[in-house]
Amino acid sequence: MSTATAEKLPSPFKNRNFTMLYFGQMISLFGDWFKTIALISVIYAIVPHAASIGGLFIASVLPVLFGGIVMGPFVDRWNKKHLMIWIDILRVFSTLGIIAGVMIENIWVIYVCIAFGAFASAAFQPARTSMIPEILKEQNLIAATSSFALLNSTTMVLASALGGFLAQWIGAVNILYFDAFSYVVSAVFIALIKYQPLAKPAVVRPPYLKQVKEGIDFVKKCPQLVGVFWLQFFRDFCLGFIYILFPLYVLNELKAGDAGVGIGYSVTAVAYVIGAFLLKQYFKKRKFDDSSYFKIYFPSNMLYGIGLGCMFIIHNWYLFFAVMLLANIFQSKVNVITETSLMTYSKPELRGRVVATWLSMSRLAYGISLPLFSAIGGFIPSAIGGWMLAAICVVSAAGLMLWLKGKLESNRLAEETQAV
């Protein structure tokens, strides 16, 4: 892409299809966040042990690790609009199964239904991400990605603030019914999208495993995607440790109680809103291109890591959350550019497999770090843990930045040599 200043484009919300997709996801995300908050209290009430909460996250994460790879070829093969509608219908039944498990107080029924819904959802994000470039102009992708990042963060803030209150007021089961209803609303909005899949050449379809390999091979040949995949892996490995370290630090070091943990998640969501908004403003008159990795992407990950290192040596409650806010503003920029890269550098016929593979790699990082640090995290002092996270974020970003710069330069020289 050219680094020239981009002409000002109309808001993606002037595109009817994008607006339908956005508002459907808004209702669905509220349901998802409410469900997560309600399930934490419900599961802990059935089995009052920390391991039961760990089981909740394992049931949510592991199916996506395997489901992403399995579902990737189907995302590219099937009509994405119809696929998302069917996934929403499956998630309705998954949530109804969770409600049944809650009513009979059987934690294993709840886990199985959560895992079933997570496996089905493994195809939803790749389908949604793959559809957006087909309904919007390429120059609008950064605005669209930022808008979804703002939506995720806003719903997280509001749901964190309201979820616990609503669960106590109307009951956890009613919260879960709302989640099931939210998937129905999402399916209706998606059905209203006027979507025509891209025409595909009539070719003999290769065997299923070869289709999976095609997506992985495409990523290996694209330096930008390789950089994004590996940075996301190291960053999500760190996040797995943060999920364990953060609540322990707030409870034991800051003595802020459960309210402090809740405020921390809300601060993170506010930071995501700010970061996505700033990035959206930055790209209003600039095109997204390779220079964005060196000016924003890798430096933001380094600054995020430094922020983590500073956070866990601070014992002042207010200063801790101030540094946390600043660190997560940088993390938000990493998130937005990651998803924009997946849409920008993937071929339309392979985009579903690329996104699904990225999602699986992300969950693999969590799958390694969550059990690892669950076992050893208690033996690592908070300050050392924070600087471990900082080192991983800074070193991985610096190494990948140098690698990508060299790779792009060698590719440029090779193209010039071929031209001569």
Side-chain angles (χ1 to χ4, degrees), residues 375-398:
I376 69 173
F379 302 101
I380 302 174
S382 300
I384 294 177
W387 287 116
M388 282 174 54
L389 295 170
I392 294 172
C393 289
V394 171
V395 172
S396 62

Side-chain angles (χ1 to χ4, degrees), residues 224-398:
Q224 295 90 338
L225 291 179
V226 171
V228 165
F229 272 53
W230 278 111
L231 189 74
Q232 187 79 13
F233 177 86
F234 287 117
R235 201 279 305 268
D236 287 350
F237 179 85
C238 290
L239 284 176
F241 187 20
I242 291 171
Y243 286 150
I244 297 166
L245 180 60
F246 167 71
L248 293 176
Y249 192 78
V250 172
L251 294 171
N252 300 329
E253 300 289 337
L254 298 180
K255 308 295 183 183
D258 292 336
V261 176
I263 290 171
Y265 285 119
S266 295
V267 166
T268 300
V270 170
Y272 286 173
V273 170
I274 296 172
F277 174 78
L278 293 175
L279 205 59
K280 189 175 180 180
Q281 295 301 114
Y282 177 84
F283 281 109
K284 270 191 173 180
K285 294 185 178 181
R286 297 175 179 86
K287 286 186 176 181
F288 174 78
D289 58 17
D290 290 340
S291 67
S292 303
Y293 294 106
F294 307 109
K295 293 178 180 177
I296 302 173
Y297 188 63
F298 294 119
S300 291
N301 200 75
M302 294 181 199
L303 291 170
Y304 170 62
I306 293 170
L308 292 176
C310 294
M311 275 171 52
F312 294 105
I313 60 172
I314 295 172
H315 296 279
N316 179 281
W317 192 88
Y318 297 102
L319 184 57
F320 175 84
F321 285 117
V323 174
M324 184 179 184
L325 177 73
L326 185 61
N328 281 293
I329 288 174
F330 291 112
Q331 184 184 193
S332 175
K333 295 180 180 182
V334 174
N335 293 339
V336 172
I337 291 183
T338 293
E339 194 159 345
T340 304
S341 300
L342 297 175
M343 291 188 282
T344 302
Y345 291 102
S346 302
K347 288 183 179 180
E349 65 272 18
L350 292 170
R351 191 172 286 131
R353 275 166 280 181
V354 169
V355 177
T357 304
W358 162 77
L359 198 58
S360 292
M361 191 165 181
S362 167
R363 296 307 181 264
L364 175 62
Y366 282 114
I368 295 172
S369 64
L370 279 171
L372 173 64
F373 290 111
S374 292
I376 69 173
F379 302 101
I380 302 174
S382 300
I384 294 177
W387 287 116
M388 282 174 54
L389 295 170
I392 294 172
C393 289
V394 171
V395 172
S396 62

